[in-house]
Amino acid sequence: ETGVTQTPRHLVMGMTNKKSLKCEQHLGHNAMYWYKQSAKKPLELMFVYSLEERVENNSVPSRFSPECPNSSHLFLHLHTLQPEDSALYLCASSQDRDGADTQYFGPGTRLTVL
Amino acid sequence: AQKVTQAQTEISVVEKEDVTLDCVYETRDTTYYLFWYKQPPSGELVFLIRRNSFDEQNEISGRYSWNFQKSTSSFNFTITASQVVDSAVYFCALSERIIQGAQKLVFGQGTRLTINP
């Protein structure tokens, strides 16, 4: 059983396309995250949602638009992307317990922008 | 600012050898958490361990062990009797609380470990 699922696993899109990445967590957590992992940079936090409210937007370009309709689902809407946006996009979730929480990650969506 | 450094970009050893992955961190927080994650070729980040800043006891889990030393700001990871299935990229991370209920993980650049048969 996988606690955090992501779809699609692979996505190829042109620069003028609009697509969405989906993440679902089955762990009963109340915080969800989007990270970007590209070949030349360490894992970068993009967005954080806590109790469905966005609490962190890490200077991400507006061509990335997150949505968190409930505590189990997280989307990343993509439009007019650039080739440098090609990367592995990872979703994670966590639950604050005793002041600490562990983030559990999904398998990622590997995005290629042509 | 928080920072995590994994100086070893790649390590390659022969199966059954012991291997240690280094992690050095920087933080001004007095309370913080350190993590290790494993990323196999499939891409998913697999949680291995969490350690809080007040607990400097070393931890052992099977062939894995972790050495946390606050004095040197290090949190090293040792695999004993390595196996081919241990081949992966390993990330060390430091948490930074954003608000109650959510934290930001600052990752090192990762160490690619290859275990050769």
Side-chain angles (χ1 to χ4, degrees):
Chain A
E1 180 186 350
T2 304
V4 181
T5 59
Q6 290 185 244
T7 55
R9 294 294 309 277
H10 300 271
L11 179 62
V12 179
M13 59 187 289
M15 292 194 292
T16 57
N17 291 159
K18 288 185 181 181
K19 296 286 184 183
S20 295
L21 309 185
K22 179 183 176 183
C23 175
E24 184 173 359
Q25 59 96 0
H26 310 273
L27 300 169
H29 291 168
N30 59 9
M32 296 188 78
Y33 309 77
W34 279 117
Y35 286 86
K36 176 183 178 182
Q37 185 179 28
S38 54
K40 298 183 179 180
K41 289 185 177 181
L43 275 149
E44 302 173 88
L45 178 66
M46 299 175 73
F47 300 104
V48 180
Y49 278 83
S50 177
L51 297 172
E52 301 147 42
E53 180 182 343
R54 190 192 310 181
V55 296
E56 179 86 353
N57 179 347
N58 217 21
S59 303
V60 179
S62 59
R63 57 186 184 269
F64 294 91
S65 175
E67 179 190 0
C68 188
N70 56 62
S71 59
S72 299
H73 294 86
L74 183 66
F75 296 88
L76 187 63
H77 304 299
L78 316 171
H79 63 98
T80 59
L81 294 191
Q82 305 297 312
E84 61 263 29
D85 297 322
S86 298
L88 180 67
Y89 289 85
L90 290 160
C91 172
S93 70
S94 69
Q95 175 71 39
D96 190 9
R97 293 191 178 94
D98 302 325
D101 53 4
T102 296
Q103 294 182 25
Y104 292 90
F105 287 79
T109 295
R110 188 161 296 282
L111 173 67
T112 302
V113 181
L114 301 176
Chain B
Q2 316 264 44
K3 186 179 178 182
V4 176
T5 302
Q6 294 179 255
Q8 304 148 310
T9 306
E10 294 191 31
I11 299 176
S12 180
V13 301
V14 177
E15 201 172 18
K16 296 184 184 176
E17 285 186 23
D18 299 346
V19 58
T20 295
L21 309 181
D22 297 333
C23 173
V24 175
Y25 63 92
E26 295 176 28
T27 180
R28 292 184 179 178
D29 293 344
T30 54
T31 301
Y32 52 89
Y33 291 84
L34 293 159
F35 301 79
W36 276 95
Y37 285 87
K38 173 183 180 179
Q39 188 176 41
S42 58
E44 180 176 356
L45 279 171
V46 178
F47 166 70
L48 296 178
I49 189 171
R50 182 186 75 206
R51 171 66 67 202
N52 80 50
S53 52
F54 294 109
D55 183 0
E56 289 195 66
Q57 268 197 328
N58 290 336
E59 179 146 348
I60 298 175
S61 176
R63 296 183 297 105
Y64 295 173
S65 62
W66 290 269
N67 183 284
F68 175 35
Q69 294 203 352
K70 222 168 170 178
S71 59
T72 56
S73 297
S74 65
F75 186 42
N76 297 337
F77 172 33
T78 297
I79 301 175
T80 303
S82 60
Q83 300 177 2
V84 173
V85 293
D86 296 327
S87 296
V89 181
Y90 290 86
F91 291 93
C92 180
L94 173 67
S95 69
E96 177 183 331
R97 180 167 293 283
I98 302 171
I99 62 165
Q100 187 67 29
Q103 295 190 352
K104 172 180 179 177
L105 285 179
V106 176
F107 285 87
Q109 64 269 44
T111 297
R112 181 176 299 278
L113 176 64
T114 302
I115 311 297
N116 299 298

